[in-house]
Every structure is written in structure tokens, then in C-alpha cells.
Amino acid sequence: MPSTPKNSAHFFINAATVAAELSVVLTEAKNISLEAMNAKALVARAGDNVRTFKPITDFMVELANDTIWLVKEINREALVLSRTSLSDLHSADAHERFKQAQARSRTAPFGDTLDPVAQSASHQHHQQSMQLKRHMRKLFELLDEIESRMLAANVVTATSRLEAATAADSYQASLEGIVVKLEKAANRIKHIASKCRHSLER
Amino acid sequence: MKVVKLHEGRSHEWLVFGRDEERPSKIIDTNQYMIKTANHAIILDPGGIELFSAMLAAVVHHVPIQQITHLFASHQDPDIISSLGLWDKTLPHATLYAPWLWEGFLRHFGCNSIKYNPLPDEGKSIRLDDIEIQFIPAHYMHSSGNFSVYDPQAKILMSGDIGAALLPDGAPLFVEDFDHHVEKMRLFHQRWMPSNRAKKDWVRRVRQLDIQYMAPQHGAIFKGKDVNRFLDWLDELEVGTGV
């Protein structure tokens, strides 16, 4: 994506917005972690009755931990992106102003003394643009990763439903409740990740 | 941008840059000054970010940029020095003289390479090749940390916002009719200058100087007898009328 003052301005606002949106994902990930603890306790209490649910609770713990780590990474990357896009905006502005000064001083006796400064501003702008692209790519990769984890969570909730249906009656409702909460949290995280992606792609 | 030579001596020149016809509308017109000696140049109140390109282009008609070794900011206002971040890229080895009071504030404009030389409240003098440049305290005129610049050899006082006038586009660069000009200055001084005590102090200091030109950052330049007329007028004027 070419870096122009306009889209840099857009990035530095939206990247900061992404960081803010992610606080909701963090809350949801912590909810998954809590539900995973509940599920573990339930599985321990129920023993052989819900033995097949054990790998699912392990997955939930792993999912919660991974999501929390990913959110922290995305948050860090979004703030870096916000800062980088602001620097890119400044470097684009400086580059433009030096270009204007060069254009206006073509006939000036010392006009050529501007050339090294203008070249340096152009180089800096190019470097900033490259850096911006790198950070953008990294942020999208992290968002991809979180979305793919949530897709996996959807598959697991489908399996969990089947397992819950075959469990003893006294545990069925509790297990189904856990599955529903996991599904809701995964969908909400997926929705926010996709919203973040769209706001960055806009 | 219009460039006028205010003084041309054996050792140095004073140039005034202003009346930029291409400046964006709604931006107050400003006068920038440059003192050029054999090996150095200092830009006084280099101006806002919006006129940086025009200013830089105008400057290289007179000096190579390597010769600009010093900058001066009378105070912290954006029309004075919001271009600092760009000058910082242009003149990484230059020194900026500005009030100590504003150092932490001015650095927000970007001052990573330029050396900030904080001016003490009592002022100081520097030498640029063979000439002496004096930074005269002008605190609260209007900014709480504020300096004028005096060149005893050329007898020029760069007075910053003191003597400023809000003039229409295309107005003459020098005061032609003092009595008429007064009305263009009254509101500016009454509303922007906060302290009668500070005003008296500045007038007292400046009366001791031999001044041929008094060069403000906005409006028109006073020459000869109009300088004293201005000092008399300011001495009598009630300022700080906003409350």
C-alpha cells in the first residue's frame, strides 16, 4: 500500500483505535480462561462421566492463554504502527516542503545547497514508508492468527456440543453452558478482530 | 516572498523577508530577518511551518544553507518558530538562541539536532564574525520569556511583537505615516501586551540604545524619528485591557 500523507493520517488514528478495541478482546479472553477453570473443576468432579471433555478444557486454557498473548502483541504492534504512521506523516510533510523549496529556488545562486537536505528528507521518507509497511504487515499477520484461533474455537465448540449431549444428565446443562460461553467469546473476538482489520484496510 | 536589504555594511547585512503573497489565507503575515556576516548567518524569528518552504527558498538566494549557523526565537509562538522541526533537518549543526523559559516547550516543535542555547533572563551578547548581537530582555512583551535583538553597529533593533501592526495584504514594508499607523497597532498592543510595568521596563531599556530601524515581526518597520515616536506612544499606552 503506497504511503501518502492522507493514509498515514488515517493509520495513526485507526491504529490507536485498534489498540483501544482490543481491551474488549482481552476481557473476553480472560472470560474464556475463567470458563476453562470452571470446566476443569467440573471435569474433575464428574470423573469418568465426562472424561472426553478433558481435552476440550485443555484446549480452552491454551486458547485463552494464546489469545491474551496475541492481544498484547497486537496492542504493542498497533501502538508502534500508530507512532510509525505519525513519523511517516511528518517525513512526508518535510519531503514535500523541501521539494517546494527546491522548486521555488531553481534560479537562486545557492539553490543547489538545498539538494543534500532535500535528498536526505526524501530518503528518510522512503525509510519511514518501508517501516510503516513492515509494521502493517506484522499487524495483519497477528490479526490473521487471532482469527484463525477463533475459527478453531468454533470447530471445538461444535465437537464439545456433541460431547456435552452424550454426558450424564446431571452434567449436561453445565457443560452446555460452558460451550455456549466459549462460543460467544470466540465469536465476539472474531468480530472485533475483523472490525480492526477493516478499519485498518479502509 | 519579498526580500529587502535593511542594512549593508562592510562587515554584515540585514535582510528582511516578508509579505509572502503565497501564504495560506487566515495566517498572519510575518517578517523574518537574517543577519549575514562573512562566514555566518543568523535567522531571527524564522517563522511558522506554513511558510518554511517559501522562507528557505528565499534564503538560498542570499546565502548557502551551510552558512546559516544560528537561529533566534524571540519567544515560543507558532508564527515565530513552529518551523523549528524543519530547520532542525536543514541545519543540524546550528545553534538556536531562545529564552530558557521556553526550552521544554519549544522542543515540542522538534529540536533533535540543533543545539538549544537558552538565553538567561538578563539577556546576553554573542559575536558573529566581527559584529556583536545583543539579546535584550523583553519579558511579558508579550510572552513571559521574550527577547529583542539589537545590533549596535547597524543600529537596528529587532523588536519581535513589539511595534507589530495588523496590516492588509500588500501594505508597505516601512511606516510611511506614523499617525495613521498608530491605529493599526493600538489593539495589538493593548490586547497582546499584558503588563504596564513590563512595558515601561522595556521602553526604559530601549531608550538607552541608538536605533536607526526598529523592526517588528508583524507589520511595518520604523525608521529614524518614528522609532522615538513609537516609544513615546507605547510609554503612554494602557496595555493589558483584556480584563
Side-chain angles (χ1 to χ4, degrees), chain A residues 61-79:
Chain A
V61 171
E62 199 183 316
L63 180 74
N65 289 341
D66 285 358
T67 307
I68 289 168
W69 179 82
L70 274 170
V71 167
K72 285 182 178 163
E73 276 297 288
I74 292 174
N75 202 13
R76 195 183 56 78
E77 201 55 48
L79 290 174

Side-chain angles (χ1 to χ4, degrees), chain A residues 97-98 100 104 110 113 117, chain B residues 22 49 53-54 60 65 90:
Chain A
R97 289 183 195 275
F98 282 116
Q100 282 172 17
R104 283 169 182 233
F110 306 106
T113 64
V117 186
Chain B
E22 288 174 47
I49 194 162
S53 304
V60 292
I65 55 167
T90 314

Side-chain angles (χ1 to χ4, degrees), chain B residues 58-190:
Chain B
V59 161
V60 292
H61 275 88
H62 302 275
V63 286
I65 55 167
Q66 298 85 344
Q67 195 174 332
I68 307 164
T69 46
H70 299 73
L71 295 173
F72 163 78
S74 59
H75 60 289
Q76 83 293 0
D77 276 353
D79 62 322
I80 299 283
I81 188 71
S82 65
S83 57
L84 179 60
L86 293 166
W87 287 110
D88 191 70
K89 290 185 196 296
T90 314
L91 313 169
H93 305 297
T95 298
L96 168 70
Y97 290 93
W100 71 267
L101 192 68
W102 295 119
E103 179 170 357
F105 297 73
L106 280 175
R107 285 187 181 277
H108 277 278
F109 288 134
C111 186
N112 302 315
S113 307
I114 284 178
K115 182 185 168 200
Y116 192 110
N117 194 319
L119 292 173
D121 278 346
E122 65 275 18
K124 73 187 265 184
S125 292
I126 60 165
R127 292 201 73 81
L128 225 56
D129 288 323
D130 296 334
I131 68 152
E132 182 194 14
I133 295 169
Q134 299 174 3
F135 300 115
I136 311 283
H139 308 312
Y140 303 101
M141 293 295 284
H142 66 95
S143 169
S144 43
N146 207 128
F147 289 90
S148 305
V149 179
Y150 180 60
D151 171 356
Q153 211 168 313
K155 298 179 182 174
I156 298 173
L157 178 77
M158 200 291 271
S159 55
D161 277 336
I162 309 165
L166 303 171
L167 303 179
D169 285 350
L173 197 57
F174 292 89
V175 175
E176 291 175 349
D177 177 348
F178 183 83
D179 293 331
H180 180 69
H181 191 67
V182 157
E183 291 316 310
K184 313 278 187 210
M185 297 190 292
R186 191 182 302 279
L187 173 75
F188 189 93
H189 288 78
Q190 287 187 319

